[in-house]
Structures are given as structure tokens and as C-alpha cells.
């Protein structure tokens, strides 16, 4: 049992950047109450930290007719090796691994002048401020999030983990009701 548990923990540690997964309800809330879907019409959307199982990808596929985007691109491997996809996309929308957000992803988005909507952590706010001025990027406190995980929490008995001090980062137009 311990050998199995250790292998399982090692696997989770090695693949930590792939979890946790954003809940479908959270993604739906973003597209219904924060983002202007009409801004995405005829545009290429890139979800660089998302694979086929991502709720961003599932939501966007479910609502293709409603949003009318031109193309949806997603990759769940090392997103930082796909600069060509960042350049090709009109909008970057994802919940990236927080470990690469401040030092790799945000500088890339700034350099390429990408439009983006990202999840982030308020603990990293000093990094955000050093990269983007307040009129270049909005930081909106979101509160605590419950994320889906591939394992059952011993504390809650559910496949969720909770992260405090989360925020949205965006340079897209957002609805006044959310500002």
C-alpha cells in the first residue's frame, strides 16, 4: 500500500502543473458575467494551459454557435514552447500554472501585445504591477475558488481543493457589472 501511495504521490507531484482543473460553473460564470462574448466573434482563441478535458475547452466547444469564434486552439503540454500559437491567437483565455505566470507567461503576453483573460493569485500582484501598468491590465479579486482535482481530499471527502486569494487578470473589455 505504501509503495502504491508513494508512486501515486510522485505521479501527482510530477504532473502538478496539470491540476487543479477549473470548474465548469466558474468558466460559465466568466463567459456569462465578465467577458463580452461578442468581442470573441470571428476571433482565434488560444487556451494554452488546457487540454481536451479542460472546462474552458468544453465550454467553448459547447457554445461555439453562440460565441461564433473563428478557431479554438488548445495545448496542455509545455505552453511556453508554442510562441507561434500565442502570436496567431487574438485572445488568450486560460487558468495557467501559477508557477509560470509571473516570470514567463505575463512577460510573453506583454511582449507580443496579446489580449488575455487569466486566473491568478493575489500573492503575485507585485509581479503583475511590475509588468503591466494599471491602465494596461485589470486585477480583479475573485476570492476563494474550489478547483476539481483528480484525487479525493481526505479533509473534505470530495475531489476538490480550495485556493484563497485568487484573482482575474485581463486586458480585455469586461462587463461593468463586474468592475
Amino acid at each position: 500500500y505504501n509503495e502504491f501511495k508513494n508512486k501515486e504521490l510522485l505521479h501527482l507531484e510530477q504532473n502538478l502543473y496539470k491540476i487543479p482543473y477549473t470548474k465548469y460553473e466558474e468558466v460559465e460564470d466568466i463567459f456569462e458575467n465578465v467577458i463580452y462574448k461578442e468581442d470573441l466573434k470571428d476571433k482565434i482563441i488560444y487556451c494554452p494551459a488546457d487540454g481536451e478535458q479542460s472546462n474552458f475547452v468544453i465550454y467553448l466547444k459547447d457554445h461555439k454557435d453562440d460565441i461564433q469564434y473563428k478557431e479554438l486552439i488548445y495545448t496542455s503540454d509545455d505552453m511556453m514552447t508554442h510562441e507561434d500559437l500565442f502570436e496567431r491567437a487574438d485572445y488568450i483565455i486560460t487558468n495557467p500554472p501559477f508557477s509560470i505566470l509571473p516570470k514567463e507567461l505575463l512577460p510573453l503576453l506583454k511582449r507580443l501585445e496579446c489580449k488575455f483573460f487569466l486566473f491568478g493569485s493575489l500573492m503575485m500582484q507585485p509581479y503583475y504591477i511590475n509588468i503591466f501598468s494599471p491602465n494596461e491590465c485589470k486585477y480583479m479579486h475573485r476570492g476563494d475558488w474550489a478547483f476539481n482535482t483528480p484525487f479525493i481530499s481526505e479533509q473534505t471527502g470530495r475531489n476538490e481543493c480550495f485556493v484563497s486569494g485568487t484573482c482575474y487578470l485581463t486586458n480585455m473589455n469586461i462587463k461593468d457589472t463586474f468592475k
Side-chain angles (χ1 to χ4, degrees), residues 8-23:
E8 186 178 326
L9 289 173
L10 179 62
H11 174 74
L12 284 173
E13 185 177 294
Q14 291 171 340
N15 293 289
L16 194 57
Y17 71 93
K18 296 179 182 175
I19 58 175
Y21 302 107
T22 310
K23 291 185 168 213

Side-chain angles (χ1 to χ4, degrees), residues 26-64:
E26 184 73 35
V27 173
E28 185 175 48
D29 184 57
I30 290 166
F31 282 96
E32 296 302 320
N33 300 308
V34 183
I35 292 176
Y36 286 107
K37 289 190 276 189
E38 54 269 20
D39 288 349
L40 304 175
K41 184 177 180 180
D42 299 323
K43 302 294 182 188
I44 298 173
I45 301 170
Y46 179 32
C47 300
D50 302 274
E52 192 77 34
Q53 303 301 318
S54 160
N55 284 318
F56 279 105
V57 172
I58 293 168
Y59 180 89
L60 287 164
K61 285 181 173 182
D62 287 350
H63 294 86
K64 182 168 178 33

Side-chain angles (χ1 to χ4, degrees), residues 146-163:
F147 290 100
N148 294 328
T149 63
F151 54 88
I152 303 295
S153 165
E154 290 180 12
Q155 293 173 334
T156 65
R158 297 183 301 219
N159 64 330
E160 293 180 326
C161 70
F162 295 89
V163 178

Side-chain angles (χ1 to χ4, degrees), residues 60-94:
L60 287 164
K61 285 181 173 182
D62 287 350
H63 294 86
K64 182 168 178 33
D65 292 339
D66 178 38
I67 299 171
Q68 299 179 6
Y69 56 84
K70 180 178 179 180
E71 182 180 357
L72 173 62
I73 305 168
Y74 50 93
T75 55
S76 59
D77 57 351
D78 184 3
M79 74 175 86
M80 300 312 293
T81 63
H82 297 287
E83 190 169 318
D84 59 318
L85 297 177
F86 284 95
E87 291 173 341
R88 189 168 139 213
D90 297 298
Y91 290 97
I92 312 300
I93 301 175
T94 195

